[in-house]
Amino acid sequence: FDRDLKWRTGVELVPVNCESCNNFKITRNALEAAYVKVQEANLRVKGLLITNPSNPLGTVLDRDTLKSMVRFINDKNIHLIGDEIYAATVFMEPEFVSISEIIEEEDVECNRDLIHIVYSLSKDMGFPGFRVGIVYSYNDSVVSCARKMSSFGLVSSQTQHLIASMLSDDEFVDNFITESKKLLFNRHKYFTWSLSQVGIGCLKGNAGLFIWMDLRKLLKEETFAAEMELWRVITNEVKLNVSPGSSFHCQEPGWFRVCFANMDDYTMKVALLRIRTFMLKNNEAMVPLKLCRPSSLKLSLSRSLSRRMDDFMSPGIMSPHSPLPQSPLVRART
C-alpha cells in the first residue's frame, strides 16, 4: 500500500499492529491503539484500509473480525476500504467473506456511504497486464469521482471485448477458478511441508499467493537491522526473492513473505533445494529430514535435471518471475 497510495500522494499510512501470538489477527484493541497513535501525531484519520484475503499473510478475515471492523469505522465515522483482489484464491476453509455480505447482517449497523471495495482480475484470473480494476462503492460521490478519474486510465476496447467474452463463459470461469484453487492448495501444501522439513515454520494460511515464513530463529538479534542483514544473505547469496516483514510494517523482526504461485514446478524445486542448502549451514535450526515425500514432486534431482540446474543458475537466464509458457492462461482454452 505504500507504493500504491503513499509515494505519489503524500498520504500518511499508519499500520495497525498485529502480533504472532494470536496469528496476526486484527482486534478491536489493535484498531483503537492505532487510532490513538494517529491522533497523538496530530493526523486526521480518513479511513481504514484492509486486504482480504491478506497480502502478505495468506489468510482470510473471519466474519466476527469483519463485523468488529465495520462497527469500529462506523463509531469513528471513517471510511472502510476493502481490497478483495484475492477473493477467489481461497483454497481451504474458512471461506472468504466480503464486506458487502457483512453490512447486510441484521446485527450490523453501518453508514454505507463509508464502505468501499476495490477489486481486479490480476490475481484471481491471472490478468495482471490487462490493468482491469474495479471500484465498488456505496457512496454516490465516490462513484462519481471515480467515473471522472477513470478517463485518465481507460481499459482498451480490445481488452474490454476479450474480458467480456471470457466472463460471459460461466463454465470456463468456474472451471478456471476451481482448477486454480486446486493447484494453489497442492502447491501451498507441498511448499509449507518442505519448509517444515528443514525447520522453517509458517503462519497457517488458506488463501492468496503468499506464505508468511518465520525465520526469527535465524536472526543474530531481534532487530530489524538483523532482519535486513538476513534478507540480504537470502537475496544475494541464496539467490531467492523473498520480502522482509518490515516492508509490510510487521512489528516483529524475522518474518518474510514468499510468493509460492509465480513459478513452475522445476523452479520451485530449485528454490526449495537452495533453502535446504542454506539451512544445512544453520544446523541449530535444522530438524531431521523425513524420507517420505509426495511422489509427484520430489526434491531429489536426476542427472539431467542437475545439468539443467547448472544452466538455470548461469548468468543471463530470465528471472523466475518472467512470463512462463506454463502459465495457466497460456494453457487455458475456452
Side-chain angles (χ1 to χ4, degrees):
F1 288 133
D2 289 82
R3 180 185 62 188
D4 296 340
L5 297 178
K6 185 176 179 178
W7 288 1
R8 291 179 294 178
T9 66
V11 169
E12 198 66 38
L13 298 180
V14 178
V16 177
N17 295 333
C18 304
E19 301 175 339
S20 60
C21 60
N22 70 342
N23 296 321
F24 294 98
K25 290 184 178 180
I26 303 175
T27 64
R28 179 66 185 250
N29 288 339
L31 292 170
E32 293 286 358
Y35 191 83
V36 170
K37 181 179 179 180
V38 173
Q39 288 186 317
E40 291 176 347
N42 293 321
L43 296 174
R44 183 184 178 189
V45 183
K46 296 293 291 183
L48 173 65
L49 175 61
I50 62 172
T51 171
N52 181 39
S54 172
N55 172 11
L57 300 180
T59 58
V60 295
L61 295 173
D62 60 71
R63 191 175 295 273
D64 289 339
T65 299
L66 290 170
K67 287 183 179 181
S68 175
M69 289 180 176
V70 171
R71 294 184 181 114
F72 172 78
I73 64 102
N74 197 56
D75 292 344
K76 306 298 184 184
N77 194 33
I78 60 176
H79 296 267
L80 174 60
I81 304 98
D83 181 355
E84 300 183 353
I85 193 171
Y86 301 99
T89 65
V90 180
F91 49 83
M92 285 191 298
E93 292 184 350
E95 293 296 328
F96 167 75
V97 180
S98 173
I99 287 291
S100 61
E101 299 175 60
I102 296 299
I103 62 175
E104 297 290 342
E105 298 281 346
E106 293 182 358
D107 60 336
V108 176
E109 294 184 8
C110 180
N111 175 8
R112 296 194 177 189
D113 281 347
L114 301 174
I115 304 296
H116 322 279
I117 298 171
V118 293
Y119 182 73
S120 165
L121 297 178
S122 298
K123 311 303 181 181
D124 289 347
M125 299 304 298
F127 276 145
F130 279 43
R131 322 310 295 171
V132 179
I134 299 165
V135 174
Y136 188 98
S137 176
Y138 294 81
N139 188 316
D140 290 339
S141 297
V142 171
V143 172
S144 177
C145 178
R147 183 179 292 115
K148 293 181 176 68
M149 293 297 296
S150 68
S151 61
F152 297 100
L154 293 175
V155 179
S156 72
S157 298
Q158 294 87 345
T159 299
Q160 291 186 50
H161 177 73
L162 188 153
I163 295 297
S165 299
M166 181 193 72
L167 295 180
S168 298
D169 189 340
D170 293 337
E171 182 179 359
F172 169 79
V173 173
D174 290 344
N175 290 340
F176 185 93
I177 292 176
T178 298
E179 182 68 13
S180 175
K181 289 183 177 184
K182 183 175 72 174
L183 293 173
L184 287 173
F185 172 79
N186 291 336
R187 174 62 66 82
H188 184 275
K189 181 179 180 181
Y190 183 72
F191 208 100
T192 54
W193 175 86
S194 299
L195 292 177
S196 71
Q197 302 309 293
V198 293
I200 298 177
C202 303
L203 181 69
K204 185 178 180 181
N206 70 318
L209 315 177
F210 311 106
I211 292 171
W212 196 230
M213 183 171 64
D214 184 3
L215 297 183
R216 287 176 293 176
K217 65 176 71 175
L218 297 183
L219 296 180
K220 293 182 179 179
E221 56 184 11
E222 294 183 12
T223 64
F224 290 111
E227 177 184 272
M228 294 305 296
E229 181 181 351
L230 177 59
W231 174 74
R232 282 189 286 269
V233 170
I234 295 174
T235 302
N236 299 326
E237 299 180 18
V238 187
K239 304 297 184 182
L240 293 176
N241 184 14
V242 300
S243 302
S246 55
S247 65
F248 303 98
H249 301 283
C250 181
Q251 298 299 299
E252 299 179 20
W255 291 88
F256 291 80
R257 189 195 74 170
V258 180
C259 182
F260 67 91
N262 61 342
M263 61 186 106
D264 60 10
D265 287 346
Y266 170 72
T267 306
M268 180 189 65
K269 292 177 184 179
V270 174
L272 290 172
L273 182 61
R274 292 181 183 180
I275 292 173
R276 173 165 171 74
T277 302
F278 171 64
M279 294 301 291
L280 283 170
K281 298 178 181 179
N282 296 271
N283 293 327
E284 70 279 3
M286 283 294 297
V287 296
L289 182 65
K290 297 179 181 178
L291 295 178
C292 58
R293 302 188 183 99
S295 58
S296 59
L297 293 173
K298 295 183 179 179
L299 281 176
S300 58
L301 303 176
S302 65
R303 292 182 179 179
S304 61
L305 188 56
S306 297
R307 288 195 296 270
R308 286 176 60 200
M309 185 177 293
D310 292 336
D311 294 337
F312 183 89
M313 295 180 183
S314 62
I317 297 297
M318 70 177 185
S319 164
H321 303 291
S322 300
L324 295 169
Q326 292 83 0
S327 166
L329 282 175
V330 175
R331 298 196 308 267
R333 295 292 184 270
T334 57

